[in-house]
Amino acid sequence: EVQLVESGGGLVQPGRSLRLSCAASGFTFDDYAMHWVRQAPGKGLEWVSGVTWNSGSIGYADSAKGRFTVSRDNAKNSLYLQMNSLRAEDTAFYYCAKDSCSSTTCGLDYWGQGTLVTVSS
Amino acid sequence: DIQMTQSPSSLSASVGDRVTITCRASQGIRNDLGWYQQKPGKAPKRLIYAASSLQSGVPSRFSGSRSGTEFTLTISSLQPEDFATYYCLQHNSYPLTFGQGTRLEIK
């Protein structure tokens, strides 16, 4: 059974940093691209970032470029999102999601339950 | 960036009704589109991939279709568990983009 478990969320002050983690199990992690998607409370879904199986191709939403960095450690079956210079508008549930493909994007087939990031003073 | 325009934003329907939700892409995306269902407090769940393929385990009352840059999700006979919010997602190119969502409510 595919499992994705996010961690690292919490309350953080504007301008500070936070690192999210996603622990994957139930599939061969380095066979698939991975993504981060967020959802502000009561709002729609917003794709944040994606990374191919070998980190050879990485993409970011405009809202994340220059502030967020996605990475993965295939030996640890883990995906990360380093978030710097956080703003109030970054407040959201952050979901880790598995792609159906490895070196391109075929859609997100499994999702974690999310971790809440709240940016507030 | 590819824009996905989803309609309607909300919809009231009754159990047994047939409903359709539409997403229009701002440019060609081939069949690189999926449909997702999200219930309150839960993660999204994929229903349809590659525009018209049914995800394993999803009831056959859900179907997807494509005409050019217009994509449709159809629920043939609404069941009580189908009342939720639905999103389309294009994965043709970065940045991936979602439709705005359709909230399906009980009439």
Side-chain angles (χ1 to χ4, degrees):
Chain A
E1 179 192 4
V2 172
Q3 286 200 335
L4 299 167
V5 180
E6 302 92 340
S7 61
L11 175 63
V12 61
Q13 293 179 327
R16 304 297 292 265
S17 298
L18 207 59
R19 188 195 197 205
L20 304 183
S21 300
C22 171
S25 61
F27 65 101
T28 304
F29 184 70
D30 56 9
D31 275 352
Y32 296 96
M34 297 292 295
H35 301 266
W36 289 100
V37 175
R38 70 183 182 182
Q39 185 172 37
K43 302 298 183 182
L45 299 168
E46 179 188 17
W47 177 83
V48 175
S49 182
V51 56
T52 52
W53 71 278
N54 63 352
S55 304
S57 177
I58 289 175
Y60 295 100
D62 287 346
S63 58
K65 280 179 187 173
R67 299 189 302 128
F68 293 3
T69 301
V70 66
S71 62
R72 62 189 295 163
D73 185 336
N74 288 343
K76 294 183 178 179
N77 290 345
S78 293
L79 177 72
Y80 306 101
L81 186 67
Q82 176 69 42
M83 303 186 294
N84 299 331
S85 303
L86 283 163
R87 307 164 179 164
E89 54 265 36
D90 295 318
T91 294
F93 286 93
Y94 284 74
Y95 295 100
C96 165
K98 172 188 167 292
D99 202 295
S100 306
C101 292
S102 60
S103 55
T104 184
T105 300
C106 299
L108 283 53
D109 56 0
Y110 290 94
W111 300 58
Q113 287 306 303
T115 187
L116 178 62
V117 172
T118 303
V119 184
S120 175
S121 54
Chain B
D1 297 359
I2 297 172
Q3 309 301 318
M4 301 302 299
T5 303
Q6 185 172 342
S7 62
S9 56
S10 65
L11 177 57
S12 293
S14 301
V15 172
D17 285 353
R18 178 184 180 91
V19 300
T20 61
I21 299 168
T22 298
C23 270
R24 178 173 282 109
S26 59
Q27 62 190 72
I29 59 169
R30 304 178 304 185
N31 284 332
D32 298 339
L33 182 124
W35 288 98
Y36 295 81
Q37 176 193 67
Q38 187 180 32
K39 296 182 178 179
K42 299 293 186 182
K45 169 188 172 184
R46 190 166 73 172
L47 304 173
I48 300 289
Y49 65 95
S52 60
S53 296
L54 191 66
Q55 183 76 25
S56 175
V58 173
S60 59
R61 62 181 180 273
F62 291 93
S63 64
S65 63
R66 170 198 170 194
S67 177
T69 60
E70 184 169 292
F71 299 82
T72 300
L73 173 70
T74 299
I75 310 172
S76 60
S77 178
L78 273 174
Q79 298 302 301
E81 60 268 30
D82 299 337
F83 291 93
T85 301
Y86 294 83
Y87 296 92
C88 63
L89 169 66
Q90 72 79 19
H91 57 84
N92 179 262
S93 62
Y94 281 163
L96 307 191
T97 44
F98 288 91
Q100 299 92 326
T102 295
R103 185 174 178 180
L104 180 51
E105 300 174 321
I106 301 173
K107 184 182 286 184

